[in-house]
């Protein structure tokens, strides 16, 4: 089955700097890759996603890139703000809306 | 819009007790699922359903039971609670083929003593 690895497990950046989180997946048939943000005591919330037929997607300060050949995808956050501090999870699936396999998470701290 | 509603938010059980975690969604999503979240392990799929009357096992199904009698509801039953089931449980739903990602509930924190 699918296996998703995520690095780094923790990341600290200064406010205004960029943050990059990288995930690798094992099944080349995976076709959908969402990213979730989880704040303390809450459920994960979708922040951005990308399908396998697209190489890059951007939404304001957040972008995701996908390299199908290398089987990895990355989350890029620019101009980080303290409210970006949270745990971020990547996921992959073979069936767009079903059975996501999640990475172990990255705890991002944005220092003022 | 309520989205995905989970109850209870917190629960303490004694070893061997049974209980049901409730999940309801009002978005007419076909797909519903249960995940458990443990430190350093991300979210792991317990059971899922692609529609009313259809359920299947995920990665870690042992000790849990589910049913899907309506589109809206997807309860998770712990048959005989064990300390290893101490975790945070999340219910999630989505359109099966929409590529829109999951909508998660706010979670149930379960402690088994």
């Amino acid at each position: 089955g699918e296996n998703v690895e995520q690095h780094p497990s923790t990341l600290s950046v200064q406010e205004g700097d960029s943050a990059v989180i990288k995930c690798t997946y094992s099944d080349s048939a995976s076709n959908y890759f969402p990213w979730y943000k989880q704040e303390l005591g809450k459920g994960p919330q979708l922040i951005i996603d990308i399908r396998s037929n697209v190489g890059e997607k951007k939404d304001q300060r957040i972008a995701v890139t996908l390299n199908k050949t290398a089987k990895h995808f990355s989350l890029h956050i620019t101009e980080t703000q303290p409210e970006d501090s949270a745990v971020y999870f990547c996921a992959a699936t073979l069936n767009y809306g079903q059975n996501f396999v999640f990475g172990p998470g990255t705890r991002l701290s944005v220092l003022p | 819009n309520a989205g995905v509603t989970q109850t209870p938010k917190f629960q303490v059980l004694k070893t061997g007790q049974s209980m049901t975690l409730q999940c309801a969604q009002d978005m007419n999503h076909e797909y519903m699922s249960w995940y458990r979240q443990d430190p350093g392990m991300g979210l792991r799929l317990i059971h899922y359903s692609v529609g009313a009357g259809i359920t299947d096992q995920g990665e870690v199904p042992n000790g849990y039971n589910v049913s899907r009698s309506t589109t809206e509801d997807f309860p998770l039953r712990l048959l005989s609670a064990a300390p290893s089931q101490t975790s945070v449980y999340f219910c999630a739903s989505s359109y099966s083929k929409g590529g829109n990602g999951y909508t998660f509930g706010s979670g149930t924190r379960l402690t088994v003593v």
Side-chain angles (χ1 to χ4, degrees):
Chain A
E2 177 65 277
N3 182 56
V4 178
E5 296 183 355
Q6 184 173 347
H7 299 281
S9 57
T10 60
L11 178 61
S12 293
V13 300
Q14 291 293 133
E15 182 177 357
D17 287 350
S18 296
V20 180
I21 303 170
K22 183 175 177 178
C23 289
T24 59
Y25 60 99
S26 61
D27 195 328
S28 57
S30 289
N31 55 22
Y32 178 67
F33 308 91
W35 284 90
Y36 287 83
K37 176 183 181 182
Q38 186 178 27
E39 297 175 335
L40 195 62
K42 297 184 178 180
Q45 284 201 303
L46 180 70
I47 56 171
I48 197 167
D49 57 9
I50 192 167
R51 295 193 179 199
S52 59
N53 58 352
V54 176
E56 183 174 358
K57 184 176 178 180
K58 191 173 182 179
D59 183 2
Q60 298 182 6
R61 297 186 296 108
I62 295 173
V64 56
T65 58
L66 172 65
N67 183 327
K68 286 191 296 183
T69 302
K71 290 189 286 187
H72 66 72
F73 56 111
S74 299
L75 177 70
H76 305 255
I77 305 174
T78 59
E79 300 173 17
T80 54
Q81 301 167 2
E83 51 265 38
D84 294 329
S85 296
V87 178
Y88 291 80
F89 292 97
C90 62
T93 181
L94 282 73
N95 296 302
Y96 289 116
Q98 303 181 23
N99 299 5
F100 296 176
V101 176
F102 286 85
T106 296
R107 182 174 298 278
L108 174 65
S109 299
V110 180
L111 309 174
Chain B
N1 288 339
V4 178
T5 302
Q6 287 185 239
T7 56
K9 292 190 180 302
F10 302 94
Q11 184 71 49
V12 179
L13 287 180
K14 294 183 179 179
T15 297
Q17 286 185 318
S18 62
M19 78 160 295
T20 299
L21 280 63
Q22 301 292 344
C23 175
Q25 53 91 9
D26 62 356
M27 298 170 285
N28 205 30
H29 284 167
E30 306 98 339
Y31 177 87
M32 296 186 74
S33 58
W34 279 100
Y35 283 82
R36 60 177 289 173
Q37 184 175 34
D38 302 293
M41 301 188 73
L43 296 122
R44 292 181 293 167
L45 182 63
I46 304 172
H47 284 286
Y48 66 96
S49 168
V50 298
I54 305 169
T55 64
D56 208 343
Q57 297 181 352
E59 178 187 357
V60 288
N62 292 339
Y64 308 95
N65 214 346
V66 292
S67 60
R68 184 98 178 266
S69 57
T70 67
T71 299
E72 295 78 18
D73 299 300
F74 191 45
L76 178 72
R77 297 182 187 84
L78 278 71
L79 309 173
S80 177
S84 61
Q85 293 179 303
T86 294
S87 187
V88 181
Y89 292 86
F90 287 100
C91 179
S93 71
S94 71
Y95 293 111
S96 290
K97 297 180 180 179
N100 295 321
Y102 288 165
T103 298
F104 279 92
S106 57
T108 295
R109 182 174 293 276
L110 176 68
T111 302
V112 183
V113 297

